[in-house]
Amino acid sequence: MEESAIWWVRRDLRLADNPALQEALASGLPVRAVFLWAPEEEGEAAPGAAARWWLHHSLAALARELRRRGGELECFDLSAKGVGCAEALRAIAEESRAGVVTACRRVEPSSVAIEERVQEALRKEGVRVVWTVGGGLIPHDGVRQASGGVFQRFTPFWRSALSKGWVQEAVEARWLRSAPFSIPAPLPLKTVRVKRGDREVAIGPVSLEELGLLPKGRWAEGWLDRWQPGEEGGVRRWHRFLTEGVRRYHQDRDRLDREGTSRLSPHLHFGEVAAARLVADLVEAGLWGEEKRDEGGRAFVRALGWREFAYGLLRHVPRMVSEPLREEFRNFPWLEGRADWIRAWQRGETGIPLVDAAMRGLWQTGWMPNRARMVVASFLTKNLGVDWRVGAAWFWETLVDADLANNAFGWQWAAGCGGDGAPYFRVFNPVLQGRTFDPEGAFVRAFVPELRALPREVIHDPERIGPLVRREVGYREPVVEVATSRAAALARWKRFREQIRGTK
Ligand SMILES: Cc1cc2nc3c(=O)[nH]c(=O)nc-3n(C[C@H](O)[C@H](O)[C@H](O)COP(=O)(O)OP(=O)(O)OC[C@H]3O[C@@H](n4cnc5c(N)ncnc54)[C@H](O)[C@@H]3O)c2cc1C
């Protein structure tokens, strides 16, 4: 006889608006909420150090919320055990006498492969698997070109998504309901034994601390003053942005000296808030919809659309994680062997004020505004000529919102090798970007204390700061000169283009 249902908690760390949880509750049976930590099996999608910090606190918040409603979160550590999610879920389902496992789908190649193995293993045991959407706006194979192909460019993708009514449909989804009142749980499991050939492996459950997600040392100290991982923190941040920020979003989103964007990216990444809920709230507030369209609301929903676009691309072009979307870039001559430049970029010691502020800010806060991401990515790949994968790997370790689809897409966009991106010859000028988007120099002052006393006219420009002042305040020489390195990047691009043309 079936005694429970299993909600396999993935990147949907919330109770409200959660289709997978609702499916489990619909069984009428006690719901076992199960989180599996399986970094080896997740491979390139396994969270980096900063995202693991977030995950730890988000799981803690989810566990608290579940307990308040009579439920329980059970974590299983599969790392270094040689046990996959499929085998673990099969054993947990057997031990729990569960007839159904519910889970949301993901888009990373390793996650998709895991889903296939889980489906197969549970089917063999006669356990039903219910796959649901994660909370986004568009089903990942929803929007296709007339030819059936995947859109490589955002604007036609978004136009098609809107005209086909996908976003509207997401907003009207029946799973957009309030949080469940109670979540009855079965008795917690003690030890689950998984058969591996002729031996058995015990897999927990374990405490959150035992998963070892928190970084060692003092790196993330103070992040909890800045962030509140978990559903409550996400909803709080959203409500503040909905009332105070969204109307100005189209004007302020690029300003580095203002909190012009929602800063919801880590909450969205971990599924602590559903994108569809955000749009539903905008509709209710009269800020998005067919008739009354606010410019800020429209720009914000469009930003959410970029995320959907990147997710759809990754689902259908999995190689984009490590290979350029534009095939001709496969043999692009990235400069090798400048470990000192890479280190200077990572540490925010390039001598270019805006780049250094953004990179030091990333280290200090685990986050960076989109405009700054574009500038530092352009600087690394174009002025310094470093392969975009080096930058993507650093972001992966240091961003609390590190997201395989958005990160690979963002880096390819900035490096010029993505399907829809800043062309290679568009090199962001960090001095002009600083003057435009941080006109008073407040962003630089916040993260580069050496430059705190410099006036706004000078603060972004290494040439105007000059060697004397640099020596006086203890700020380093620029690793490259902005104009010369830009010219070198363009020359590299020109040679490469001629070479491609010659071989065609
Ligand atoms: C080089 C580079 C790397 C990036 N890496 C990541 C990453 O690892 N994780 C990540 O979530 N975003 C990434 N982005 C996209 C973007 O910078 C962040 O989503 C955004 O800065 C998050 O801030 P916010 O929540 O205040 O965004 P808002 O402007 O408030 O937008 C709301 C949400 O829309 C989505 N969104 C907005 N802009 C984009 C975009 N250009 N691409 C995809 N989604 C978008 C995000 O989920 C964001 O939280 C990257 C961009 C670049 C250029």
Side-chain angles (χ1 to χ4, degrees):
M1 203 181 79
E2 288 179 17
E3 290 178 4
S4 67
I6 291 175
W7 167 33
W8 175 22
V9 177
R10 302 184 86 200
R11 283 238 310 269
D12 55 343
L13 302 173
R14 65 180 184 278
L15 300 185
D17 311 320
N18 189 321
L21 173 58
Q22 285 175 15
E23 288 287 347
L25 286 169
S27 69
L29 297 164
V31 174
R32 189 179 297 289
V34 168
F35 175 77
L36 305 175
W37 175 238
E40 287 96 355
E41 197 178 15
E42 281 201 56
E44 68 226 347
R52 284 200 297 276
W53 173 88
W54 189 285
L55 178 61
H56 173 96
H57 292 289
S58 187
L59 286 170
L62 183 70
R64 277 194 303 274
E65 283 306 309
L66 271 166
R67 225 165 284 137
R68 273 177 21 145
R69 291 175 166 79
E72 195 67 48
L73 179 67
E74 290 172 59
C75 297
F76 294 84
D77 185 1
L78 309 186
S79 59
K81 293 230 167 53
V83 173
C85 294
E87 292 156 306
L89 282 172
R90 189 176 53 198
I92 296 168
E94 192 182 347
E95 192 80 20
S96 320
R97 293 180 208 263
V100 62
V101 173
T102 70
C104 67
R105 286 207 183 274
R106 289 176 51 172
V107 291
E108 306 82 12
S110 54
S111 309
V112 173
I114 291 174
E115 283 165 23
E116 283 163 10
R117 288 195 287 276
V118 165
Q119 176 72 40
E120 180 62 15
L122 293 178
R123 188 188 57 80
K124 277 194 192 145
E125 298 298 315
V127 179
R128 209 157 50 88
V129 189
V130 179
W131 298 107
T132 68
V133 294
L137 301 175
I138 291 164
H140 299 130
D141 36 14
V143 184
R144 294 296 190 121
Q145 289 171 306
S147 62
V150 182
F151 279 106
Q152 299 275 339
R153 293 189 166 275
F154 176 74
T155 302
F157 160 85
W158 191 234
R159 208 178 295 132
S160 172
L162 290 178
S163 72
K164 293 209 171 96
W166 286 109
V167 181
Q168 204 58 40
E169 212 166 285
V171 167
E172 286 160 13
R174 80 188 150 79
W175 50 267
L176 278 179
R177 299 188 190 138
S178 59
F181 182 71
S182 83
I183 304 172
L187 285 177
L189 291 171
K190 293 215 165 65
T191 304
V192 177
R193 298 192 180 282
V194 184
K195 286 195 191 71
R196 299 272 309 151
D198 52 3
R199 68 192 177 98
E200 278 190 346
V201 181
I203 58 159
V206 298
S207 72
L208 201 43
E209 284 65 34
E210 283 172 280
L211 294 182
L213 300 174
L214 292 175
K216 298 201 170 51
R218 304 177 58 182
W219 176 33
E221 237 174 49
W223 285 6
L224 282 178
D225 298 337
R226 196 173 276 275
W227 301 105
Q228 187 188 349
E231 183 172 5
E232 191 190 332
V235 170
R236 198 176 277 176
R237 191 173 278 278
W238 166 238
H239 284 162
R240 205 176 73 202
F241 185 70
L242 181 61
T243 48
E244 293 169 16
V246 74
R247 284 185 179 78
R248 291 194 315 273
Y249 178 74
H250 58 300
Q251 294 162 342
D252 284 0
R253 56 173 302 180
D254 285 316
R255 287 294 292 259
L256 296 166
D257 53 347
R258 294 182 189 159
E259 201 171 311
T261 65
S262 69
R263 304 193 180 198
L264 281 169
S265 48
H267 298 286
L268 281 162
H269 169 78
F270 285 101
E272 299 164 358
V273 290
R277 158 61 58 206
L278 309 185
V279 184
D281 287 353
L282 287 169
V283 172
E284 204 179 306
L287 297 172
W288 197 82
E290 287 309 316
E291 284 145 36
K292 199 170 169 194
R293 286 187 173 200
D294 171 81
E295 223 177 311
R298 195 170 52 209
F300 183 71
V301 177
R302 191 179 158 88
L304 294 173
W306 278 96
R307 175 173 180 265
E308 302 294 337
F309 180 55
Y311 275 39
L313 259 184
L314 179 59
R315 180 67 185 85
H316 296 286
V317 194
R319 66 176 173 80
M320 75 181 256
V321 176
S322 52
E323 289 174 32
L325 283 160
R326 285 174 64 182
E327 301 236 347
E328 69 266 29
F329 268 80
R330 271 200 182 159
N331 298 319
F332 189 79
W334 302 109
L335 300 183
E336 307 265 341
R338 292 310 306 246
D340 52 339
W341 283 359
I342 296 172
R343 229 180 359 259
W345 178 82
Q346 290 172 337
R347 293 180 177 175
E349 291 173 0
T350 64
I352 312 293
L354 185 60
V355 173
D356 290 350
M359 296 305 294
R360 294 187 202 182
L362 169 61
W363 185 255
Q364 285 172 34
T365 67
W367 190 82
M368 192 190 285
N370 185 58
R371 172 60 49 180
R373 293 184 204 208
M374 295 195 288
V375 172
V376 301
S378 168
F379 186 76
L380 183 74
T381 55
K382 293 173 180 171
N383 299 76
L384 301 184
V386 173
D387 193 325
W388 61 274
R389 285 163 282 217
V390 172
W394 183 253
F395 269 28
W396 188 256
E397 282 305 308
T398 52
L399 278 171
V400 286
D401 67 17
D403 182 284
L404 208 60
N406 287 355
N407 196 38
F409 180 76
W411 275 95
Q412 296 223 26
W413 184 96
C417 56
D420 188 346
Y424 190 84
F425 53 81
R426 180 160 173 227
V427 184
F428 280 70
N429 180 327
V431 179
L432 296 182
Q433 292 281 317
R435 282 191 201 136
T436 312
F437 299 111
D438 180 32
E440 300 300 320
F443 182 70
V444 167
R445 280 192 202 95
F447 295 111
V448 187
E450 303 95 291
L451 303 179
R452 213 166 260 169
L454 297 196
R456 60 191 284 275
E457 298 78 20
V458 175
I459 196 164
H460 287 293
D461 189 348
E463 261 186 49
R464 295 191 66 187
I465 297 173
L468 275 181
V469 173
R470 257 197 297 274
R471 217 166 303 135
E472 203 174 296
V473 299
Y475 188 56
R476 68 157 296 164
E477 286 283 305
V479 282
V480 290
E481 212 254 325
V482 171
T484 337
S485 58
R486 175 178 187 274
L490 293 179
R492 238 180 351 263
W493 165 240
K494 190 161 171 272
R495 276 198 307 279
F496 178 63
R497 212 175 41 178
E498 282 162 5
Q499 201 180 318
I500 305 176
R501 282 204 185 127
T503 54
K504 269 191 184 159

